[in-house]
Amino acid sequence: MTDYTREDMERLGAKWMDRIRACEKREEGWTKDAGRAETAYLCGTNKGERKIEDVPEFNILHSNVETIVPAIYNSTAIPDIRPRFGANDGPAKNVAEIFERVILVQADDNRLDAEIEAGAQDAFVAGRDIVRVRFDADMGEAIGPDGMPVESVSNERILFENVSWKDYREGPAKRWRDVPWVAYRHYLSTDDVDRLEDEELAALQVDATDALDEGGVDAPIWEIWCRETGKVYFVAQDSHKVLKIAADPLRLKGFFPQPEPVQPVTGTGSRLPVCPYTVYKTLAEELDEITRRINGIVSGLKVRGLIVAEASAIEELSQAEDNTLVVAANMENIVQAGGLEKAVMWWPVQQAITVLRELFAQRDQTKQAIYEVTGISDIVRGQSAASETATAQQIKTQWGSLRIKKMQRLIERQVRDLYVICAEIIAQHFTPQTLQKMTGIQIGEAEMQLLTDPLGYYRINIESESTIRADATKNRQEMTEFLTGSAQYFSTMAPVVQAAPQAAAELMEIYGAFARQFNLGKSAEDALDRLVSVAKQASQNPPPNPDAEARKAEADMKQQELADKKEGEAAKIGVDREKLGLDRERLQFEREQFDREAVMRQGETDQKRRETEFAAFTAGDPNGGANVAEGIVAEIRAGNNRLEQMVQMLAQAIATGNAQIIGAMVAPKELVRDENGRPVGVRTVAGQQRVVN
């Protein structure tokens, strides 16, 4: 049972119609300009609604719109849905694929394209483009093999609808997010109104004027979406009768069933649209004036003349067919007039031709001024001069399309926002059975969890420039540049990866940044992301390299041999040091023994000398004693000389032995092993084996 009263319904209906009329008052100037522009674009085909004087002589508006609309939208946008956080695999990837496939199914068969193209036409004719979304679900029963219903099924689908600028109103606001309400006007028949009207509300307004006008024509009904109350109101325009009040039917985060309207020309801080035609209306009127003058001169530019001689023969001659001879009855009259050239006096047209030539030149200049104002260059129109170089055309293509690209971004944004609304509707209203049927993807509990909040879990976008059918030659040129650059990059970085495999991930990141400068499409970008992930995993866990392992084993063997060699050399040095010590001890012993022998010999010499001196002295021969003494001294000197020579020889032998020991220590050697591989000795490369004890 409704909580409304009759007075509530009267106030509610009157309030909404007052708001709609206030919106019409705010936009009155724009609606008049938009109406004249639409009349001009449609060439005044509906004379019942348009004035014939509003139809231009030279319809530059129609030409501009027909040029711009295909340039800003000519291909179905491809959805690009990716998880906001986490890896794009498993359930997250499945759900992203589900959204993309379902949206493509809903936009298939040109259902979206037709509405976007109609909206783009409204945008550049009137100045406002509105495309809304509807959700429709037909409930029914599946029939089994026996012809009996087995279960209830639903056929959910999303419908796109272009709303005419005449049938749309919105509440006052400076920004779209602050718009309090939007309204759409429908023209419904009696049966449609009866199906729409709520019985309880109708009972409260039984005395209200019927929603239909007299005569049985379709009645204007306003569908009003109020953000503040979260409800949808259906109000008859003429009677103010509230036909129905519905709770939020779509449960969208933005509430309204449409994205922000596309308005190519608008002011900052104001949502009042501007008709694009008014931007160059003065030039268009000048173009019309020139065209009217051209048409007037052309209509008066006729071949006319006066006949001053025999009229019948000359008139018959002017109407004769090819290869026809005409007989003149009074040829002498024509001859007397000075011939045929003198017999006919022609109306002068040279001045008209001169004026006409100037008017055509002025019209071309006016058209060029209009193209400069609207930003439609000759390249966009598909025109080019034969004298222009390819570089000049490329520059004009690049800079001449900048203003067109702004309009393209507006349409891309609108389509993206439509896909966001579609994703919300899919998550809120589509059953898992319908999703599995449309996509062929099995939906589990993890997928159902992600499906509940598409805007929280996913970034919904469209592929770059997918709404524009790019030039095939340009695509091939870009792909050739991409492949050439990729080949050069990988060939240059291959030695770096071989020398440092751990740098592969960083190099692939750099390559990814390079590759994203090209419009490769979603599938190629996904493959590139997977390639970067593989490179990261490979750098963290590099696979075994047989060559590297062989080099490592060889290095380990050489290191072991070097260690064994050092060990053998250390043992050899110990032996040599021990031998050197023994040799030094032997030499020291020999020297001490030699000293003792020298002392003994000196004692013997002294003894002999004393005995000789004593004998000489006893014999009484002083000279004999002296001679003996001299001989003993000579022997002592000789002995000292021999002793000094022996000392020198001993020192030389010690020096030679030390040199040999040092030479043996620094000479190249190799390790000698037994049958079990244990080191048993060291052998010099050019010497003999020495056993290590």
mmCIF file of all heavy atoms in Angstrom, residues 523-545:
data_model
loop_
_atom_site.group_PDB
_atom_site.id
_atom_site.type_symbol
_atom_site.label_atom_id
_atom_site.label_comp_id
_atom_site.label_asym_id
_atom_site.label_seq_id
_atom_site.Cartn_x
_atom_site.Cartn_y
_atom_site.Cartn_z
ATOM 1 N N SER A 523 45.696 -7.990 -26.903
ATOM 2 C CA SER A 523 46.304 -9.322 -26.897
ATOM 3 C C SER A 523 47.826 -9.230 -26.930
ATOM 4 O O SER A 523 48.523 -9.947 -26.195
ATOM 5 C CB SER A 523 45.797 -10.128 -28.097
ATOM 6 O OG SER A 523 46.098 -9.454 -29.311
ATOM 7 N N ALA A 524 48.363 -8.322 -27.761
ATOM 8 C CA ALA A 524 49.816 -8.168 -27.824
ATOM 9 C C ALA A 524 50.365 -7.584 -26.526
ATOM 10 O O ALA A 524 51.435 -7.995 -26.050
ATOM 11 C CB ALA A 524 50.198 -7.278 -29.009
ATOM 12 N N GLU A 525 49.647 -6.631 -25.938
ATOM 13 C CA GLU A 525 50.109 -6.065 -24.672
ATOM 14 C C GLU A 525 50.084 -7.105 -23.554
ATOM 15 O O GLU A 525 50.979 -7.143 -22.711
ATOM 16 C CB GLU A 525 49.245 -4.859 -24.309
ATOM 17 C CG GLU A 525 49.449 -3.671 -25.239
ATOM 18 C CD GLU A 525 48.577 -2.497 -24.867
ATOM 19 O OE1 GLU A 525 47.784 -2.642 -23.901
ATOM 20 O OE2 GLU A 525 48.663 -1.449 -25.526
ATOM 21 N N ASP A 526 49.055 -7.958 -23.542
ATOM 22 C CA ASP A 526 49.016 -9.035 -22.538
ATOM 23 C C ASP A 526 50.189 -10.002 -22.734
ATOM 24 O O ASP A 526 50.817 -10.443 -21.762
ATOM 25 C CB ASP A 526 47.693 -9.787 -22.629
ATOM 26 C CG ASP A 526 46.518 -8.938 -22.151
ATOM 27 O OD1 ASP A 526 46.774 -7.937 -21.457
ATOM 28 O OD2 ASP A 526 45.372 -9.265 -22.482
ATOM 29 N N ALA A 527 50.464 -10.351 -23.988
ATOM 30 C CA ALA A 527 51.596 -11.241 -24.255
ATOM 31 C C ALA A 527 52.913 -10.593 -23.830
ATOM 32 O O ALA A 527 53.812 -11.263 -23.306
ATOM 33 C CB ALA A 527 51.632 -11.595 -25.746
ATOM 34 N N LEU A 528 53.022 -9.290 -24.028
ATOM 35 C CA LEU A 528 54.235 -8.579 -23.609
ATOM 36 C C LEU A 528 54.379 -8.605 -22.094
ATOM 37 O O LEU A 528 55.486 -8.804 -21.569
ATOM 38 C CB LEU A 528 54.176 -7.139 -24.114
ATOM 39 C CG LEU A 528 55.398 -6.257 -23.839
ATOM 40 C CD1 LEU A 528 56.631 -6.833 -24.504
ATOM 41 C CD2 LEU A 528 55.149 -4.839 -24.342
ATOM 42 N N ASP A 529 53.271 -8.427 -21.374
ATOM 43 C CA ASP A 529 53.327 -8.500 -19.907
ATOM 44 C C ASP A 529 53.759 -9.890 -19.443
ATOM 45 O O ASP A 529 54.554 -10.026 -18.509
ATOM 46 C CB ASP A 529 51.969 -8.144 -19.312
ATOM 47 C CG ASP A 529 51.608 -6.682 -19.535
ATOM 48 O OD1 ASP A 529 52.531 -5.879 -19.738
ATOM 49 O OD2 ASP A 529 50.401 -6.357 -19.515
ATOM 50 N N ARG A 530 53.231 -10.928 -20.107
ATOM 51 C CA ARG A 530 53.641 -12.290 -19.742
ATOM 52 C C ARG A 530 55.117 -12.515 -20.040
ATOM 53 O O ARG A 530 55.817 -13.202 -19.280
ATOM 54 C CB ARG A 530 52.782 -13.307 -20.499
ATOM 55 C CG ARG A 530 51.332 -13.342 -20.046
ATOM 56 C CD ARG A 530 50.614 -14.568 -20.596
ATOM 57 N NE ARG A 530 50.525 -14.535 -22.039
ATOM 58 C CZ ARG A 530 49.521 -13.992 -22.717
ATOM 59 N NH1 ARG A 530 48.514 -13.427 -22.073
ATOM 60 N NH2 ARG A 530 49.491 -14.004 -24.030
ATOM 61 N N LEU A 531 55.609 -11.938 -21.120
ATOM 62 C CA LEU A 531 57.018 -12.081 -21.468
ATOM 63 C C LEU A 531 57.903 -11.422 -20.425
ATOM 64 O O LEU A 531 58.948 -11.966 -20.045
ATOM 65 C CB LEU A 531 57.269 -11.463 -22.847
ATOM 66 C CG LEU A 531 58.663 -11.657 -23.456
ATOM 67 C CD1 LEU A 531 58.963 -13.140 -23.634
ATOM 68 C CD2 LEU A 531 58.762 -10.944 -24.793
ATOM 69 N N VAL A 532 57.478 -10.259 -19.933
ATOM 70 C CA VAL A 532 58.244 -9.581 -18.876
ATOM 71 C C VAL A 532 58.252 -10.421 -17.601
ATOM 72 O O VAL A 532 59.279 -10.557 -16.926
ATOM 73 C CB VAL A 532 57.659 -8.184 -18.619
ATOM 74 C CG1 VAL A 532 58.325 -7.532 -17.409
ATOM 75 C CG2 VAL A 532 57.833 -7.294 -19.841
ATOM 76 N N SER A 533 57.091 -11.035 -17.268
ATOM 77 C CA SER A 533 57.028 -11.885 -16.075
ATOM 78 C C SER A 533 57.941 -13.092 -16.204
ATOM 79 O O SER A 533 58.637 -13.479 -15.251
ATOM 80 C CB SER A 533 55.580 -12.334 -15.840
ATOM 81 O OG SER A 533 54.732 -11.225 -15.648
ATOM 82 N N VAL A 534 57.954 -13.703 -17.383
ATOM 83 C CA VAL A 534 58.838 -14.854 -17.610
ATOM 84 C C VAL A 534 60.296 -14.446 -17.462
ATOM 85 O O VAL A 534 61.112 -15.171 -16.877
ATOM 86 C CB VAL A 534 58.568 -15.461 -19.004
ATOM 87 C CG1 VAL A 534 59.632 -16.490 -19.365
ATOM 88 C CG2 VAL A 534 57.193 -16.104 -19.041
ATOM 89 N N ALA A 535 60.656 -13.275 -17.970
ATOM 90 C CA ALA A 535 62.042 -12.800 -17.850
ATOM 91 C C ALA A 535 62.418 -12.577 -16.394
ATOM 92 O O ALA A 535 63.538 -12.893 -15.968
ATOM 93 C CB ALA A 535 62.220 -11.513 -18.654
ATOM 94 N N LYS A 536 61.472 -12.058 -15.590
ATOM 95 C CA LYS A 536 61.764 -11.854 -14.172
ATOM 96 C C LYS A 536 61.989 -13.183 -13.463
ATOM 97 O O LYS A 536 62.918 -13.332 -12.665
ATOM 98 C CB LYS A 536 60.613 -11.089 -13.524
ATOM 99 C CG LYS A 536 60.521 -9.632 -13.932
ATOM 100 C CD LYS A 536 59.392 -8.940 -13.210
ATOM 101 C CE LYS A 536 59.328 -7.464 -13.580
ATOM 102 N NZ LYS A 536 58.212 -6.770 -12.890
ATOM 103 N N GLN A 537 61.121 -14.162 -13.733
ATOM 104 C CA GLN A 537 61.290 -15.466 -13.103
ATOM 105 C C GLN A 537 62.591 -16.124 -13.536
ATOM 106 O O GLN A 537 63.282 -16.761 -12.735
ATOM 107 C CB GLN A 537 60.096 -16.357 -13.445
ATOM 108 C CG GLN A 537 58.777 -15.868 -12.861
ATOM 109 C CD GLN A 537 57.603 -16.716 -13.294
ATOM 110 O OE1 GLN A 537 57.771 -17.682 -14.042
ATOM 111 N NE2 GLN A 537 56.407 -16.364 -12.841
ATOM 112 N N ALA A 538 62.926 -15.982 -14.810
ATOM 113 C CA ALA A 538 64.159 -16.591 -15.308
ATOM 114 C C ALA A 538 65.391 -15.949 -14.669
ATOM 115 O O ALA A 538 66.388 -16.624 -14.384
ATOM 116 C CB ALA A 538 64.223 -16.473 -16.828
ATOM 117 N N SER A 539 65.335 -14.629 -14.441
ATOM 118 C CA SER A 539 66.484 -13.966 -13.815
ATOM 119 C C SER A 539 66.632 -14.362 -12.356
ATOM 120 O O SER A 539 67.745 -14.417 -11.831
ATOM 121 C CB SER A 539 66.330 -12.449 -13.936
ATOM 122 O OG SER A 539 65.167 -12.020 -13.239
ATOM 123 N N GLN A 540 65.497 -14.646 -11.678
ATOM 124 C CA GLN A 540 65.565 -15.068 -10.283
ATOM 125 C C GLN A 540 65.967 -16.531 -10.152
ATOM 126 O O GLN A 540 66.685 -16.899 -9.223
ATOM 127 C CB GLN A 540 64.215 -14.832 -9.607
ATOM 128 C CG GLN A 540 63.826 -13.365 -9.520
ATOM 129 C CD GLN A 540 62.416 -13.171 -8.996
ATOM 130 O OE1 GLN A 540 61.705 -14.150 -8.752
ATOM 131 N NE2 GLN A 540 62.016 -11.918 -8.823
ATOM 132 N N ASN A 541 65.515 -17.387 -11.047
ATOM 133 C CA ASN A 541 65.848 -18.817 -11.032
ATOM 134 C C ASN A 541 66.394 -19.209 -12.397
ATOM 135 O O ASN A 541 65.673 -19.776 -13.224
ATOM 136 C CB ASN A 541 64.609 -19.663 -10.694
ATOM 137 C CG ASN A 541 64.031 -19.293 -9.347
ATOM 138 O OD1 ASN A 541 64.740 -19.226 -8.364
ATOM 139 N ND2 ASN A 541 62.722 -19.046 -9.314
ATOM 140 N N PRO A 542 67.636 -18.879 -12.690
ATOM 141 C CA PRO A 542 68.172 -19.166 -14.021
ATOM 142 C C PRO A 542 68.265 -20.665 -14.261
ATOM 143 O O PRO A 542 68.598 -21.428 -13.351
ATOM 144 C CB PRO A 542 69.567 -18.514 -13.992
ATOM 145 C CG PRO A 542 69.917 -18.447 -12.546
ATOM 146 C CD PRO A 542 68.628 -18.265 -11.806
ATOM 147 N N PRO A 543 67.958 -21.165 -15.447
ATOM 148 C CA PRO A 543 68.051 -22.593 -15.751
ATOM 149 C C PRO A 543 69.506 -23.040 -15.825
ATOM 150 O O PRO A 543 70.410 -22.233 -16.048
ATOM 151 C CB PRO A 543 67.374 -22.692 -17.128
ATOM 152 C CG PRO A 543 67.557 -21.340 -17.732
ATOM 153 C CD PRO A 543 67.504 -20.376 -16.593
ATOM 154 N N PRO A 544 69.754 -24.358 -15.586
ATOM 155 C CA PRO A 544 71.136 -24.847 -15.666
ATOM 156 C C PRO A 544 71.700 -24.690 -17.062
ATOM 157 O O PRO A 544 71.037 -24.997 -18.049
ATOM 158 C CB PRO A 544 71.003 -26.326 -15.276
ATOM 159 C CG PRO A 544 69.572 -26.672 -15.519
ATOM 160 C CD PRO A 544 68.788 -25.425 -15.257
ATOM 161 N N ASN A 545 72.950 -24.232 -17.103
ATOM 162 C CA ASN A 545 73.635 -24.010 -18.367
ATOM 163 C C ASN A 545 74.752 -25.045 -18.498
ATOM 164 O O ASN A 545 75.719 -25.016 -17.731
ATOM 165 C CB ASN A 545 74.221 -22.599 -18.405
ATOM 166 C CG ASN A 545 74.752 -22.246 -19.776
ATOM 167 O OD1 ASN A 545 74.969 -23.114 -20.613
ATOM 168 N ND2 ASN A 545 74.963 -20.953 -20.002
#
